[in-house]
Amino acid sequence: MRTAKPLSNEQKTSLSKLVNQTKTKSSIGLIGPVLPFRGGIAQHTTMLHRSLRSQTDLCTISFKRQYPRYLYPGKSDRDPEYQGYTEAGVHYVIDSINPFTWTKACRILLARTPNLIIIVWCTFFGAPYLGFMARYFRKRGIQVIFLCHNVKDHEAVFWKVGLSRMALVKGSTFLVHTNSEKARLCQLVPGAQVTVHSHPVYHQFPSAKKKMPHRARLELLFFGFVRHYKGLDILLGAMRLLEKEDIFLTIAGEWWGENAILRELMNNERLMAKIEVIDRYVSEQEAAEYLYRADLVVLPYRSATGSGVIPLAYHYGKPVIASRISGIEEVVIDGVSGRLFESESPYALAEVIREFLNVPPERMREGVQKTADKMTWESLATCILNLQDNAG
């Protein structure tokens, strides 16, 4: 019978480290949309999943069906570029209108004996199933963090706010990306423990494969879904004031809701000669081409809970022109990573755009980089783990 050789000191040290890591590694559950679902929130949850998975024992639950077709205003809530794709380590379980799948998702997570559950919150529609799951885990003594992108819907009415409150009060603690969202959350859930961490930069987006030619001295880009609160009509008003300037605007993204007023604003031959409209979903690779060509990314928003477009612009080293409103002015550092203008004023926006005809946007590249360096997924993951530690 063979006798096992005694472990060397080096082997004992390595084994001890491995045992300690196993003991201290957190077991965490994450609930939210990931690829192949489309949009900034799915991209955000996917990147958070990847970051947490490298640091913790993570179990992520996503959707089989996020919305009934009739409730989704876009053409599809899945990214055609990721057809047939599944993210490693993700269980696609939840059907938002099938309660049996809510229970199934909870049981999958509970089997992993989690210390913490992170629930991604973005709309009142999630109130029934996310509220159910938050209550399920809280009753079992498990901490629940709501990671809120939009505490209230952009087009909020009293009953939507009421549904949101009913779900969110079931959380233990909260994480938001802006101070304005913290204020909204504290108003909705008095006494809530809320931590603010900036939205990380989307470094997963690809490099441009081709160099699209400039069509003017200054190339502007409005990117993402077109909705009323995003203020595209304000930007078009500014473009009318800049008709004689050497400027070109690209509007890239699917239009949601009524757009007759915007179409009427663009019913001007001289103006339309300086505008390109891509009224559809834009793939990651296409986004890379448009962002690479742009000199400036413009966000003329009327209101904001934050923005995934700003971290995307920073990824490509582009300064941002944005409205001076809460949720934006915290991440666009005026004069450093971009310029702010008085919201809902085409005149103020036109003046800021005109500034960049005299001062090249490239001068802000260093400021953009320094700002982006502080906005990392590793930092967000560490923030979440610290919330768990502090709660424990």
PDB file of all heavy atoms in Angstrom, residues 181-194:
ATOM      1  N   GLU A 181     -31.403  60.158  -9.122  1.00  0.00           N
ATOM      2  CA  GLU A 181     -32.169  58.937  -8.891  1.00  0.00           C
ATOM      3  C   GLU A 181     -32.213  58.587  -7.399  1.00  0.00           C
ATOM      4  O   GLU A 181     -33.207  58.050  -6.909  1.00  0.00           O
ATOM      5  CB  GLU A 181     -31.579  57.773  -9.683  1.00  0.00           C
ATOM      6  CG  GLU A 181     -31.957  57.769 -11.140  1.00  0.00           C
ATOM      7  CD  GLU A 181     -33.463  57.738 -11.357  1.00  0.00           C
ATOM      8  OE1 GLU A 181     -34.061  56.655 -11.384  1.00  0.00           O
ATOM      9  OE2 GLU A 181     -34.059  58.835 -11.488  1.00  0.00           O
ATOM     10  N   LYS A 182     -31.144  58.899  -6.685  1.00  0.00           N
ATOM     11  CA  LYS A 182     -31.163  58.689  -5.231  1.00  0.00           C
ATOM     12  C   LYS A 182     -32.269  59.529  -4.600  1.00  0.00           C
ATOM     13  O   LYS A 182     -33.020  59.048  -3.737  1.00  0.00           O
ATOM     14  CB  LYS A 182     -29.811  59.059  -4.619  1.00  0.00           C
ATOM     15  CG  LYS A 182     -29.776  58.904  -3.108  1.00  0.00           C
ATOM     16  CD  LYS A 182     -28.404  59.239  -2.534  1.00  0.00           C
ATOM     17  CE  LYS A 182     -28.418  59.084  -1.013  1.00  0.00           C
ATOM     18  NZ  LYS A 182     -27.080  59.361  -0.420  1.00  0.00           N
ATOM     19  N   ALA A 183     -32.384  60.781  -5.029  1.00  0.00           N
ATOM     20  CA  ALA A 183     -33.420  61.665  -4.486  1.00  0.00           C
ATOM     21  C   ALA A 183     -34.810  61.125  -4.808  1.00  0.00           C
ATOM     22  O   ALA A 183     -35.708  61.135  -3.951  1.00  0.00           O
ATOM     23  CB  ALA A 183     -33.246  63.073  -5.051  1.00  0.00           C
ATOM     24  N   ARG A 184     -35.014  60.631  -6.039  1.00  0.00           N
ATOM     25  CA  ARG A 184     -36.318  60.070  -6.413  1.00  0.00           C
ATOM     26  C   ARG A 184     -36.645  58.838  -5.572  1.00  0.00           C
ATOM     27  O   ARG A 184     -37.781  58.642  -5.147  1.00  0.00           O
ATOM     28  CB  ARG A 184     -36.320  59.695  -7.900  1.00  0.00           C
ATOM     29  CG  ARG A 184     -36.330  60.874  -8.847  1.00  0.00           C
ATOM     30  CD  ARG A 184     -36.547  60.412 -10.290  1.00  0.00           C
ATOM     31  NE  ARG A 184     -36.465  61.533 -11.222  1.00  0.00           N
ATOM     32  CZ  ARG A 184     -35.389  61.862 -11.909  1.00  0.00           C
ATOM     33  NH1 ARG A 184     -34.277  61.159 -11.771  1.00  0.00           N
ATOM     34  NH2 ARG A 184     -35.392  62.899 -12.733  1.00  0.00           N
ATOM     35  N   LEU A 185     -35.630  58.016  -5.347  1.00  0.00           N
ATOM     36  CA  LEU A 185     -35.846  56.791  -4.593  1.00  0.00           C
ATOM     37  C   LEU A 185     -36.182  57.082  -3.126  1.00  0.00           C
ATOM     38  O   LEU A 185     -37.087  56.477  -2.546  1.00  0.00           O
ATOM     39  CB  LEU A 185     -34.604  55.897  -4.690  1.00  0.00           C
ATOM     40  CG  LEU A 185     -34.689  54.491  -4.118  1.00  0.00           C
ATOM     41  CD1 LEU A 185     -35.939  53.759  -4.581  1.00  0.00           C
ATOM     42  CD2 LEU A 185     -33.460  53.702  -4.499  1.00  0.00           C
ATOM     43  N   CYS A 186     -35.465  58.043  -2.554  1.00  0.00           N
ATOM     44  CA  CYS A 186     -35.729  58.405  -1.160  1.00  0.00           C
ATOM     45  C   CYS A 186     -37.115  59.027  -0.990  1.00  0.00           C
ATOM     46  O   CYS A 186     -37.736  58.904   0.075  1.00  0.00           O
ATOM     47  CB  CYS A 186     -34.649  59.359  -0.649  1.00  0.00           C
ATOM     48  SG  CYS A 186     -33.039  58.554  -0.433  1.00  0.00           S
ATOM     49  N   GLN A 187     -37.588  59.671  -2.033  1.00  0.00           N
ATOM     50  CA  GLN A 187     -38.941  60.225  -2.010  1.00  0.00           C
ATOM     51  C   GLN A 187     -39.977  59.107  -2.111  1.00  0.00           C
ATOM     52  O   GLN A 187     -41.016  59.134  -1.441  1.00  0.00           O
ATOM     53  CB  GLN A 187     -39.120  61.207  -3.166  1.00  0.00           C
ATOM     54  CG  GLN A 187     -40.480  61.908  -3.191  1.00  0.00           C
ATOM     55  CD  GLN A 187     -40.619  62.822  -4.399  1.00  0.00           C
ATOM     56  OE1 GLN A 187     -40.162  62.498  -5.498  1.00  0.00           O
ATOM     57  NE2 GLN A 187     -41.239  63.968  -4.199  1.00  0.00           N
ATOM     58  N   LEU A 188     -39.680  58.112  -2.934  1.00  0.00           N
ATOM     59  CA  LEU A 188     -40.607  57.002  -3.146  1.00  0.00           C
ATOM     60  C   LEU A 188     -40.582  56.011  -1.981  1.00  0.00           C
ATOM     61  O   LEU A 188     -41.631  55.488  -1.580  1.00  0.00           O
ATOM     62  CB  LEU A 188     -40.248  56.272  -4.449  1.00  0.00           C
ATOM     63  CG  LEU A 188     -41.279  55.293  -5.002  1.00  0.00           C
ATOM     64  CD1 LEU A 188     -42.531  56.031  -5.446  1.00  0.00           C
ATOM     65  CD2 LEU A 188     -40.683  54.507  -6.174  1.00  0.00           C
ATOM     66  N   VAL A 189     -39.380  55.752  -1.452  1.00  0.00           N
ATOM     67  CA  VAL A 189     -39.211  54.807  -0.340  1.00  0.00           C
ATOM     68  C   VAL A 189     -38.484  55.545   0.788  1.00  0.00           C
ATOM     69  O   VAL A 189     -37.247  55.466   0.897  1.00  0.00           O
ATOM     70  CB  VAL A 189     -38.402  53.562  -0.784  1.00  0.00           C
ATOM     71  CG1 VAL A 189     -38.342  52.531   0.347  1.00  0.00           C
ATOM     72  CG2 VAL A 189     -38.999  52.942  -2.036  1.00  0.00           C
ATOM     73  N   PRO A 190     -39.203  56.291   1.617  1.00  0.00           N
ATOM     74  CA  PRO A 190     -38.561  57.067   2.689  1.00  0.00           C
ATOM     75  C   PRO A 190     -37.718  56.166   3.603  1.00  0.00           C
ATOM     76  O   PRO A 190     -38.117  55.062   3.963  1.00  0.00           O
ATOM     77  CB  PRO A 190     -39.760  57.650   3.450  1.00  0.00           C
ATOM     78  CG  PRO A 190     -40.855  57.706   2.437  1.00  0.00           C
ATOM     79  CD  PRO A 190     -40.657  56.491   1.575  1.00  0.00           C
ATOM     80  N   GLY A 191     -36.521  56.676   3.927  1.00  0.00           N
ATOM     81  CA  GLY A 191     -35.626  55.927   4.795  1.00  0.00           C
ATOM     82  C   GLY A 191     -34.790  54.881   4.085  1.00  0.00           C
ATOM     83  O   GLY A 191     -34.033  54.139   4.734  1.00  0.00           O
ATOM     84  N   ALA A 192     -34.896  54.797   2.754  1.00  0.00           N
ATOM     85  CA  ALA A 192     -34.143  53.792   2.002  1.00  0.00           C
ATOM     86  C   ALA A 192     -32.642  54.036   2.123  1.00  0.00           C
ATOM     87  O   ALA A 192     -32.179  55.175   2.147  1.00  0.00           O
ATOM     88  CB  ALA A 192     -34.547  53.830   0.531  1.00  0.00           C
ATOM     89  N   GLN A 193     -31.880  52.939   2.194  1.00  0.00           N
ATOM     90  CA  GLN A 193     -30.417  53.017   2.170  1.00  0.00           C
ATOM     91  C   GLN A 193     -29.978  52.962   0.705  1.00  0.00           C
ATOM     92  O   GLN A 193     -30.128  51.925   0.060  1.00  0.00           O
ATOM     93  CB  GLN A 193     -29.809  51.852   2.944  1.00  0.00           C
ATOM     94  CG  GLN A 193     -30.171  51.825   4.423  1.00  0.00           C
ATOM     95  CD  GLN A 193     -29.554  50.635   5.141  1.00  0.00           C
ATOM     96  OE1 GLN A 193     -28.467  50.175   4.789  1.00  0.00           O
ATOM     97  NE2 GLN A 193     -30.250  50.127   6.147  1.00  0.00           N
ATOM     98  N   VAL A 194     -29.452  54.063   0.212  1.00  0.00           N
ATOM     99  CA  VAL A 194     -29.157  54.182  -1.218  1.00  0.00           C
ATOM    100  C   VAL A 194     -27.681  54.525  -1.426  1.00  0.00           C
ATOM    101  O   VAL A 194     -27.163  55.468  -0.820  1.00  0.00           O
ATOM    102  CB  VAL A 194     -30.024  55.270  -1.887  1.00  0.00           C
ATOM    103  CG1 VAL A 194     -29.839  55.241  -3.398  1.00  0.00           C
ATOM    104  CG2 VAL A 194     -31.498  55.086  -1.530  1.00  0.00           C
TER     105      VAL A 194
END
